[in-house]
Amino acid sequence: MDPILIALIFIMVGLAIGVLSMWAVTKSDRERAQWADIEEPSIQDGAAEVLAVIGRAYVVVDAVDGVVQASPGAYALGLVRGHTIVCEEMIEMIRQARSGGTIAEREISLIRGVTTKSTLVIDLRVAPLRDEYILVLADDRTEIARVQTIRNDFVANVSHELKTPVGAIGLMAEAIESSSDDPESVEYFSQRLQKESRRLASLVQDVIELSRLQSADVVRQSQLVDVNDLITGAIDRNRITAEGKNITLSSQGWAKHLVHGDPELLGTALRNLIENAIRYSPESTHVTVSVRQDEENIYISVTDEGNGIAREEQDRIFERFYRIDPARSRQTGGTGLGLSIVKHVMAQHGGEVSLESEVGQGSTFTMSLPMVDEQTEHDLLGSESVTSAP
């Protein structure tokens, strides 16, 4: 056969093979593109924009529970990892909504963290969409649940604390009525009645103070406050109580600058610390109120010579109604709210309260408050008066 003809035949076969190869590659690419469209579904842009402005974390899943789209909040809450749902309760709700075609809603608890674990309370709402999609809306209600728990505990504690003085007042009144012909008994029960009445009044006043502290604008009466006058006023208000136990009240130090805040609340906080020091100190001891400052803060410390507070109790001492010795607190007239009020007042003023104590060596409570610098003090003094707590 002619060599030229043979070469032409090989050329034609090569061209045919090349064309077939290109056709096969093109077909393969088209099929892969179709598979990609099936494996990576997406939702319309309009729907995505609506979901972005609803203010809740969201997840959209397909017919096989794969994540089509999820908001950053869903990843932050730990509901989704990559394209996979990691919350078993959420998967159960999705399948329930898909099978029943109805909306499912539930509040779940999600444990986060490895070493320091925390619990998130999340409200889930799962609804079926068209094209076999499922929409999950997630709302972090952890803070709301925490506040609700605190509120419930507070109401329960207040109710419990009110029972004692209210019940005692009723019993004392009955005892006085039945002892009308016995002057000594009438005098004894009258004194007890007065004591329980004072305790009840203190408890109600402390509850009112806590309620006020939880308002949104607690320092709306904020003004320049002279800490030295604050200390003098608080000591004067507690001097008679101290004299009743032969306790010496004294002050040390001098604040050269002012603080900015609500003078009434700051006065209440300081008086509570002094009252506590007197209440839990033995007779014939000393309670000292000292003040010092650094470049940023003014520190007011109240030091007593009482029994001190064990380290394991110090973390809880500022909790509402927490008492180291409940029986002794009731004998001394404590409400269990004083230190909690101090903590809230400091938080509202950008400060803090700390405790240093050793068993058998007394305690020192210290309030730290941001100090007004000289320039700000000079500017404000032109338009404000300097006050202390009433």
Side-chain angles (χ1 to χ4, degrees):
M1 183 178 290
D2 188 353
I4 296 176
L5 179 61
I6 295 174
L8 288 173
I9 292 173
F10 276 111
I11 292 173
M12 294 298 293
V13 171
L15 289 173
I17 293 174
V19 170
L20 288 173
S21 298
M22 291 181 63
W23 175 80
V25 170
T26 303
K27 182 179 179 181
S28 176
D29 288 342
R30 289 176 181 174
E31 290 178 350
R32 280 199 299 268
Q34 292 175 353
W35 296 338
D37 289 340
I38 295 173
E39 294 175 355
E40 298 291 340
S42 61
I43 59 177
Q44 297 179 356
D45 292 339
E49 291 174 0
V50 171
L51 291 173
V53 299
I54 60 176
R56 301 177 73 176
Y58 69 85
V59 182
V60 178
V61 299
D62 57 20
V64 292
D65 297 340
V67 176
V68 176
Q69 188 164 335
S71 67
Y75 289 98
L77 291 175
L79 299 174
V80 177
R81 186 178 299 117
H83 292 280
T84 305
I85 298 171
V86 295
C87 177
E88 291 296 331
E89 291 176 283
M90 183 169 158
I91 294 175
E92 178 186 341
M93 292 178 66
I94 290 171
R95 292 173 180 172
Q96 176 185 344
R98 180 182 293 114
S99 61
T102 57
I103 297 175
E105 187 167 7
R106 186 190 307 171
E107 190 173 86
I108 67 170
S109 296
L110 194 64
I111 306 298
R112 298 295 305 279
V114 179
T115 54
T116 57
K117 294 185 177 181
S118 60
T119 301
L120 298 182
V121 179
I122 302 173
D123 181 71
L124 292 179
R125 186 176 179 85
V126 181
L129 301 177
R130 64 178 183 176
D131 299 328
E132 298 185 354
Y133 286 161
I134 298 292
L135 171 64
V136 181
L137 298 178
D139 188 18
D140 185 0
R141 302 181 65 84
T142 306
E143 183 63 19
I144 295 175
R146 186 187 71 83
V147 171
Q148 184 63 44
T149 300
I150 292 175
R151 182 182 293 113
N152 293 339
D153 290 344
F154 181 68
V155 171
N157 286 330
V158 168
S159 301
H160 176 74
E161 293 295 329
L162 286 173
K163 285 181 180 178
T164 302
V166 170
I169 288 173
L171 291 175
M172 296 303 106
E174 292 177 5
I176 291 174
E177 182 180 9
S178 63
S179 305
S180 57
D181 57 347
D182 186 352
E184 292 184 1
S185 296
V186 170
E187 181 180 0
Y188 171 76
F189 290 125
S190 295
Q191 292 175 353
R192 292 288 305 277
L193 184 63
Q194 292 175 8
K195 180 180 178 181
E196 293 298 335
S197 297
R198 288 193 296 269
R199 181 182 168 198
L200 181 59
S202 297
L203 179 57
V204 171
Q205 183 61 38
D206 284 350
V207 170
I208 293 173
E209 287 290 344
L210 270 180
S211 177
R212 181 189 172 198
L213 285 170
Q214 292 171 344
S215 63
D217 190 17
V218 71
V219 290
R220 60 187 180 278
Q221 302 299 330
S222 181
Q223 52 193 282
L224 291 176
V225 180
D226 188 328
V227 171
N228 305 298
D229 291 342
L230 200 72
I231 293 172
T232 301
I235 289 177
D236 288 343
R237 291 282 289 271
N238 284 281
R239 196 171 296 281
I240 294 177
T241 305
E243 290 175 353
K245 296 183 66 173
N246 195 31
I247 291 176
T248 303
L249 275 178
S250 61
S251 62
Q252 295 178 355
W254 186 265
K256 298 180 181 179
H257 295 286
L258 309 175
V259 297
H260 209 270
D262 185 324
E264 182 179 349
L265 290 180
L266 291 175
T268 297
L270 182 54
R271 288 196 302 272
N272 281 349
L273 288 184
I274 298 175
E275 287 172 4
N276 258 24
I278 295 172
R279 182 177 294 119
Y280 297 108
S281 291
E283 295 186 359
S284 303
T285 55
H286 292 79
V287 171
T288 304
V289 183
S290 57
V291 60
R292 60 183 177 83
Q293 64 184 52
D294 56 22
E295 295 180 355
E296 297 181 353
N297 299 302
I298 291 181
Y299 304 90
I300 308 172
S301 299
V302 178
T303 304
D304 62 53
E305 298 177 354
N307 295 326
I309 301 169
R311 291 189 179 276
E312 59 268 20
E313 305 280 357
Q314 293 181 17
D315 290 339
R316 300 193 60 192
I317 198 69
F318 295 100
E319 294 179 9
R320 297 169 180 173
F321 294 110
Y322 182 77
R323 296 183 176 94
I324 297 175
D325 185 350
R328 187 184 176 199
S329 295
R330 290 190 174 93
Q331 291 174 358
T332 57
T335 65
L337 291 173
L339 292 179
S340 180
I341 289 175
V342 175
K343 180 180 178 180
H344 277 77
V345 171
M346 291 299 99
Q348 293 288 356
H349 287 78
E352 61 181 18
V353 58
S354 59
L355 166 64
E356 294 181 8
S357 183
E358 294 288 343
V359 176
Q361 298 182 20
S363 304
T364 298
F365 288 87
T366 300
M367 300 190 308
S368 63
L369 290 164
M371 181 177 62
V372 177
D373 60 78
E374 292 186 11
Q375 183 60 48
T376 304
E377 183 177 317
H378 180 269
D379 295 340
L380 292 175
L381 280 175
S383 57
E384 295 187 21
S385 59
V386 180
T387 61
S388 60

